[in-house]
Amino acid sequence: MKKQSAGAAIVVVLLAIAAYAAFFIAPTDSKQGVIYRIIFLHVPCAETGLVAFFVCFVANVAYVLKRNAKWDWLGVSAAEVGLVFTTACLVTGPIWAKPVWGIWWTWDARLTSTAVLWLLYVSYLMLRSLLEEPERRALLSALFGIFAFIDVPLVFGSIRWWRTQHPQPVIMGGPGSGLDPTMLRVLLFCWVPMLALMVLLMHSRYRLEAMRGDLELVRREAEAA
Amino acid sequence: MKNLNSVFAAYLMAWAIFFVYYVTVARRAAALREDLERLKKSMTHPVDASAAANRGK
Amino acid sequence: MSLLSNTGVLLGKELRTEFRSRELLTTTVIFILMVVVLFSFTFDPTSTDSRRFGAGLLWLAFLFAASLMLQPCFLREQTNDTLSALRLAVSDPFAILLAKLAANTLFLLVTELLMLPVFSVLYNVPVLPVLGRLLLVFFLGSLGVSIAGTALSAISAQARMRELLLPLLLLPLLTPVLVASTQVTAGLLDVAPFMQWKGIGFVATFDVVFLTALWLFGEYLLEE
């Protein structure tokens, strides 16, 4: 518990430093003004979500091959945490778009792909909730998780191609495109607290799942006795 | 400064999402820990449970 | 050769089972027909608008139909408890999946080809000049839908609320197929038809990637 609190404290400090850097160190954008500072939150959220989904993918493959419940616990933790970061990305995107473009949603390629990603992993969690037997649930959700993750580059690629056919306002050019070197440095730095937060959230979610596993074992022992 | 409110709103909403998730997980973990303790106690002290049942008779 | 011959035999079984009753094909065709007719109420079906929205309408109708049509794929085996018999009968479990996805692709293609002239007449969109290229995108798209659908049907058959679960799992996964196939079809239904090979590339890539994934992980789908 002490380790957990210390970890949480470190993450809060890092987030505060990142916010300071985003507001006071990064220069103001000449075109968008102060609103562009959402980039230091929006992009790290999106990228951390993808990292979490990658961890989920690795855990899924490991479960299918090794059948150790710990991989299943890691998989569901990573998927949920990934979904949390993706939600934050999808919430901050429209808050950015509205003042700049006057509309909440522009069907921008990146945001649309992120919305599909969100739906994919919501389906993953729905599937888990509808499978009762723990080993079946672990195996079948792992297999779906594998299919979902290999779909991700195809989703992003096809939607980006679709948008080149029908250009729409782009919320942001892309990480690094047209970014001042200081802005880029701040952006990269802001990713660090997000990754730390991801680890913290995954760790607490994993412990919850591990406890569930223990509870299941104890219940089975009690029934056998 | 124009749009500063939107920037604050974005940061607050994102942090709220993370905070709510963290607290939800912590609460579920605490409840589960209680269940686990209760179940373990009932398994290690079944005598207490049957003694209580006999006193009722 | 063993994989191909096993697949051939199982494919024959799938086709015979379906053509005996033709329930699946009939209900799927009628469902797509209903969707096509109902869609006409959502926009003014002039020839210009039909060319703009027709591709999307067609592919959405195909996707909805597929998510219904794929339900019995593994449910049938579960109800009659024939999956274990099938697994014992073949040396490579991939043959079972290959046969099912081939059958599903065929059924989907048949329903799409039956619907195409109806769509063309109802919405005033000529399809004969581009029929060959339309068939290519229909085939690749249907293959993608069947590959993903067969895998997910095996998963959802073992869960609760399977009728709702299959579309829930399938539709987001098929986004690349929907996006790319719709774009290619829209290009072909245009006043000046043109082929978008990049879109064909996306659908073909989806097919190859998912077929490979099915080959690598398919045996675990059929575990009991």
Side-chain angles (χ1 to χ4, degrees), chain A residues 10 13 51 91 178 180-181:
Chain A
I10 293 174
V13 167
V51 170
V91 163
D180 174 275

Side-chain angles (χ1 to χ4, degrees), chain C residues 11-49:
Chain C
L11 177 60
K13 173 198 84 89
E14 295 287 326
L15 295 176
R16 269 195 307 278
T17 314
E18 177 50 29
F19 284 110
R20 221 169 263 158
S21 60
R22 287 184 293 277
E23 287 170 346
L24 204 60
L25 277 173
T26 319
T27 39
T28 311
V29 168
I30 294 175
F31 178 80
I32 298 184
L33 177 65
M34 252 187 248
V35 172
V36 166
V37 168
L38 288 175
F39 262 48
S40 71
F41 305 143
T42 62
F43 66 100
D44 185 17
T46 60
S47 190
T48 331
D49 280 339

Side-chain angles (χ1 to χ4, degrees), chain A residues 61 64-65 67 116 119-120 123-124 126-127 129-132 136 139-140 143-144 146-148 150-151 154-155 157-159 161-162 165-166, chain C residues 151-152 155 158-161 165 168-169 172-176 179-180 183-184 196 198-199 202 205-206 209-210 213-214 217 220-221 223-224:
Chain A
V61 174
V64 172
L65 299 176
R67 303 302 167 98
V116 174
L119 287 171
L120 267 173
S123 306
Y124 171 90
M126 284 260 33
L127 173 63
S129 71
L130 294 170
L131 288 162
E132 273 159 5
R136 273 296 82 194
L139 179 65
L140 295 177
L143 289 168
F144 178 73
I146 291 170
F147 293 137
I150 62 176
D151 202 29
L154 292 165
V155 167
S158 59
I159 290 178
W161 172 65
W162 168 59
Q165 310 298 105
H166 309 276
Chain C
L152 297 181
I155 291 175
Q158 303 179 57
R160 294 194 332 263
M161 291 181 68
L165 185 62
L168 202 74
L169 299 176
L173 204 71
L174 287 176
T175 303
V179 168
Q183 277 303 110
V184 174
Q196 295 174 91
K198 209 165 184 184
F202 272 113
T205 307
F206 181 94
V209 166
F210 274 81
L214 199 60
F217 295 101
Y220 304 112
L221 280 171
E223 252 180 43
E224 273 184 346

Side-chain angles (χ1 to χ4, degrees), chain C residues 146-157:
Chain C
S146 299
I147 295 170
T150 304
L152 297 181
S153 172
I155 291 175
S156 66

